[in-house]
Structures are given as C-alpha cells and as structure tokens.
Amino acid sequence: MGRLMGVLTDGGPLRRLAFATGVALVLWLLAWVLSYLFVGEGALTTVMSARLPDDLFKPDSTLAVTIFEWNVLFGVGAIVVGSLFAVGRLSLGYFAPWWWALGYGIALGTNSFVVTVPGKVAPNLDILWQHIGAREILAYLLVAAALANVHLWRPRRWYDLKLSRVRRIADIRLHVTEMACIAGALVLLAWTASVEAAGVIAFLR
C-alpha cells in the first residue's frame, strides 16, 4: 500500500498519471464486463438523465460550450475540491475520475447513455478511440495527477475523523509540468465537448 501511495504522489505528474490511468482502466473494464453479463439494458438511464438539466441537449451552436462548462464546473471542480484533502499521502482527487471510470464501464455494459441507440455494448477496447468517454476521463485524470500534492487537510491517521491542516492555500506551488497537465486537460475537454455536441446535434436532427 505504501508503494501504491508513493507512485500516486511522488515523481512527476506524468508518472502519477500513468499509474492512475492503469487503476482507472482496471475499474472500467471490470465494471463493463460484469454489467454487460449481469445487468439489464438501460438500467441506469434514469439515473444518468436525472443528473442533467432538461435543456442541456438543445441542438444549437452553443451546445459544445454548454457541455464544456458543465464538465469543467462539475468534473474538474469535483477533483479540485477532492484534491484539497488526503488520506495518508493519497489525494482524494483521484477518487472522482476512478468513480467515473466505474460508472462509464457500467453505462457501456448496460447501454445507459442519455442519447444512444438500442443494444448493449460488448467489451471491446476499440471504444477507447471510438467514444469520447475515455478521453474525458483521461482529462480528469490529468487534473487529479497534477493536483496530487496540493492537499490542505488530512487526518493524522487514516482512521481518524478529525482533520489536521498541513498547509495554506498560499503555500501551494505547481510545477510547470503540472500546470501543463491542467492546460492539456482543459484543451482535451474542449475538444471532446465539440465532438460530443456534433454527435448529439446529428442524432437529434
């Protein structure tokens, strides 16, 4: 466990990203296979659609901007907030993209997307470059890896409920590579938003 914590917190952000991405891939594939085999089609469609405002998917020129803003506010925002806390040396910012990797796998295995065509999606690694979900999660992992060492609070022991402050916001310093990862994540999210918007507009028309 100590070695796992070290890989996710030490070294450069790309090293941290590689290992965090490996964890996400394992969770994603496991959730995809199990949900495809044992969960009915559309099982999570109601849950997925309930998280989105009714007017999000208006087929107009602002859709890409709306999707991008949504992903930054709730996706990147959740990681930033999580990164302010750690358990031991492990930043809680990693848990959001790992959780979304699980959800993405289940959504694929059950075909529970809001805009979709009938039929469950069988496990197939081609989806990594055919579907934007994996690229969105990669963007979130870039942010989590860049912010892995910025936590302000953590418990003295992993089982303590009381948090101790370990630094102030003014003490946070990001290296150039970490800032580059965050910039790359935002560019990737902007690109995936434009691709997703184009697909949604084509589907609705």
Side-chain angles (χ1 to χ4, degrees), residues 149-167:
N149 293 309
V150 304
H151 53 273
L152 306 180
W153 295 277
R154 68 181 180 190
R156 292 185 182 277
R157 302 174 186 84
W158 67 268
Y159 53 82
D160 285 344
L161 296 179
K162 185 178 179 180
L163 297 174
S164 299
R165 187 160 192 149
V166 296
R167 65 171 60 87

Side-chain angles (χ1 to χ4, degrees), residues 14 62 90 140 154 180 182 188:
L14 295 181
T62 65
L90 182 61
Y140 296 138
R154 68 181 180 190
I182 294 173
L188 188 54

Side-chain angles (χ1 to χ4, degrees), residues 21-40:
T21 301
V23 174
L25 277 172
V26 171
L27 294 173
W28 170 61
L29 287 172
L30 184 62
W32 190 359
V33 171
L34 292 178
S35 62
Y36 180 79
L37 292 176
F38 302 112
V39 183

Side-chain angles (χ1 to χ4, degrees), residues 1-78:
M1 183 62 70
R3 187 173 182 180
L4 170 64
M5 301 286 192
V7 175
L8 290 169
T9 58
D10 296 338
L14 295 181
R15 181 171 179 261
R16 302 194 294 261
L17 171 67
F19 197 84
T21 301
V23 174
L25 277 172
V26 171
L27 294 173
W28 170 61
L29 287 172
L30 184 62
W32 190 359
V33 171
L34 292 178
S35 62
Y36 180 79
L37 292 176
F38 302 112
V39 183
E41 182 176 351
L44 297 182
T45 301
T46 302
V47 176
M48 298 284 285
S49 60
R51 299 168 53 220
L52 303 173
D54 294 336
D55 60 346
L56 177 62
F57 288 132
K58 285 184 178 179
D60 57 32
S61 59
T62 65
L63 180 57
V65 176
T66 302
I67 294 173
F68 175 74
E69 291 174 344
W70 183 267
N71 289 340
V72 170
L73 179 62
F74 293 99
V76 175

Side-chain angles (χ1 to χ4, degrees), residues 72-87:
V72 170
L73 179 62
F74 293 99
V76 175
I79 296 168
V80 170
V81 172
S83 297
L84 300 179
F85 303 87
V87 175

